[in-house]
Amino acid sequence: MSSLIASARFSVLDRSRIREGHTAPEALRDTVRLAREVERLGYHRFWVSEHHGVPGVAGSAPTVLAAAVAGATRTIRVGTGGVMLPNHRPLVVAEQFGVLESLFPGRIDMGLGRSVGFTDGVRRALGRDKGDAEDFAAQLDELLGWFRGTSPTGVRARPAEGLAVPPFVLAMGEGAAIAARAGLPLVIGDLRDRDRMRRGIDHYRTRFRPSVWASEPYVVVSGTVAVAATPREARRLLVPEAWSMAYSRTHGTFPPLPPAERVESLAMTARERDLYASGLTGQVAGTEEQVADTLESVLKETGAQEVLVTTSTHDREALLDSYRRLAALAGLDGRTTRR
């Protein structure tokens, strides 16, 4: 194992993806069960996501799901990847994380993003439009102000005020600049486009301003990592998500994850086949040796301190096996520590 891999933290983001033949409640319970398993394996954090009106995703209320995960675990850090701040009032977000931190002190992370919905219909239902993402920097500043008690309204965010819930910015492009100006840790993806990722990280580090939240830049790179006994088995882990992404691009809706064997028997249009092939290309997937080589290269190129793994697939046992293999190659010792 390389020193770069040994020194990096490894964490997990689970999107509570619904699988064909299974229900949304099952997906949420799968997320909680996965959190227990990755805690046992020694991963550093476990995060959940926010999606609205997506047929293939059950995780629509990340702070609620984070509470369930934190209640079912003991030591692993728990957070959001992320709460989409333009969808919410910053005061309410501060209150929610204040409650989480009060219930599970020292274990809560506040990952924040700037997306405003998957479709026009979802944005209308939320009372938002694409332009609301442009206010993310101001919304972020207001949110952090509630924890520090600096709101000009005279209102106090209870129980958030005075608590230190670590904030992270999920970003590509403009979001990296916002994270740098605010002096916050950066979560950046995806691992398939490393040139773009590296440019965003360089931009972030160059412009980083130390803050009460972080004295120096902190980079988390995120993306799919699939580990299996053979390259073919690792590739099959990628198949359901690659097809769902291709389907969403051609039909406008993101479906539940199909079994790999069904996808491999499908007749696809040329457009679907191109998008599907693109989804399988460039991912971090293979045997332990192959994945270790790729991860070492990623960490060397980016200087990242942490890897946030976002793998989704239909076969839950194969997914668990991948996380076990990754934990072994990363030298995780099964004792999660709060660093």
Side-chain angles (χ1 to χ4, degrees):
M1 178 175 54
S2 77
S3 59
L4 284 174
I5 292 176
S7 64
R9 294 169 174 167
F10 284 81
S11 300
V12 173
L13 165 63
D14 191 66
R15 294 190 176 91
S16 303
R17 295 287 276 109
I18 301 169
R19 297 175 291 151
E20 279 189 7
H22 299 267
T23 65
E26 284 181 272
L28 295 171
R29 289 191 288 269
D30 283 344
T31 291
V32 176
R33 281 193 289 268
L34 180 61
R36 292 196 193 103
E37 179 69 10
V38 301
E39 176 180 65
R40 186 185 69 78
L41 291 169
Y43 285 86
H44 184 56
R45 311 179 202 277
F46 188 90
W47 282 5
V48 297
S49 62
E50 175 181 340
H51 296 275
H52 300 284
V54 180
V57 182
S60 57
T63 54
V64 176
L65 185 52
V69 168
T73 53
R74 296 184 304 107
T75 56
I76 195 168
R77 296 197 65 86
V78 176
T80 55
V83 165
M84 297 301 139
L85 195 51
N87 294 339
H88 311 280
R89 293 302 310 163
L91 170 61
V92 175
V93 175
E95 291 170 336
Q96 290 172 347
F97 279 98
V99 169
L100 283 170
E101 177 64 19
S102 298
L103 291 171
F104 307 102
R107 291 181 57 205
I108 301 301
D109 297 325
M110 185 168 59
L112 306 161
R114 61 196 292 265
S115 172
V116 285
F118 186 65
T119 65
D120 288 339
V122 168
R123 288 188 286 271
R124 286 195 301 272
L126 292 169
R128 298 292 187 268
D129 58 42
K130 289 184 178 180
D132 287 303
E134 303 306 314
D135 296 328
F136 179 67
Q139 295 159 348
L140 181 62
D141 186 60
E142 180 184 344
L143 172 61
L144 299 181
W146 288 116
F147 287 93
R148 301 187 67 192
T150 58
S151 171
T153 64
V155 175
R156 300 294 181 88
R158 307 187 189 279
E161 186 175 320
L163 297 180
V165 183
F168 296 74
V169 172
L170 282 63
M172 282 296 268
E174 175 61 20
I178 292 171
R181 287 195 299 270
L184 301 181
L186 174 72
V187 182
I188 188 165
D190 65 42
L191 293 171
R192 291 182 302 165
D193 191 347
R194 280 192 257 164
D195 285 342
R196 184 183 180 195
M197 177 185 283
R198 191 167 53 248
R199 288 194 300 271
I201 292 170
D202 290 346
H203 185 87
Y204 165 72
R205 286 203 177 102
T206 299
R207 291 160 177 78
F208 183 85
R209 300 175 183 173
S211 72
V212 297
W213 304 101
S215 59
E216 58 187 25
Y218 188 88
V219 175
V220 183
V221 292
S222 68
T224 295
V225 180
V227 195
T230 67
R232 183 177 184 278
E233 290 177 60
R235 183 183 182 278
R236 281 175 65 83
L237 281 164
L238 308 176
V239 164
E241 184 81 7
W243 168 245
S244 291
M245 289 297 295
Y247 188 93
S248 73
R249 296 282 299 278
T250 53
H251 293 77
T253 185
F254 202 80
L257 292 175
E261 55 269 22
R262 188 174 81 75
V263 175
E264 291 171 338
S265 67
L266 287 174
M268 301 183 195
T269 66
R271 169 77 170 153
E272 287 170 341
R273 177 66 63 183
D274 286 346
L275 290 168
Y276 171 63
S278 176
L280 294 172
T281 302
Q283 305 282 14
V284 181
T287 64
E288 283 94 329
E289 183 178 0
Q290 291 170 326
V291 168
D293 285 346
T294 304
L295 286 176
E296 183 173 8
S297 175
V298 168
L299 292 170
K300 185 176 181 180
E301 289 176 16
T302 64
Q305 291 98 325
E306 187 169 341
V307 179
L308 179 67
V309 183
T310 63
T311 311
S312 297
T313 195
H314 186 277
D315 186 337
R316 295 297 290 189
E317 185 50 48
L319 179 66
L320 286 172
D321 182 63
S322 177
Y323 278 122
R324 292 181 191 119
R325 290 173 183 272
L326 178 59
L329 76 85
L332 306 186
D333 62 7
R335 296 191 301 273
T336 303
T337 56
R338 301 181 201 169
R339 293 177 289 169

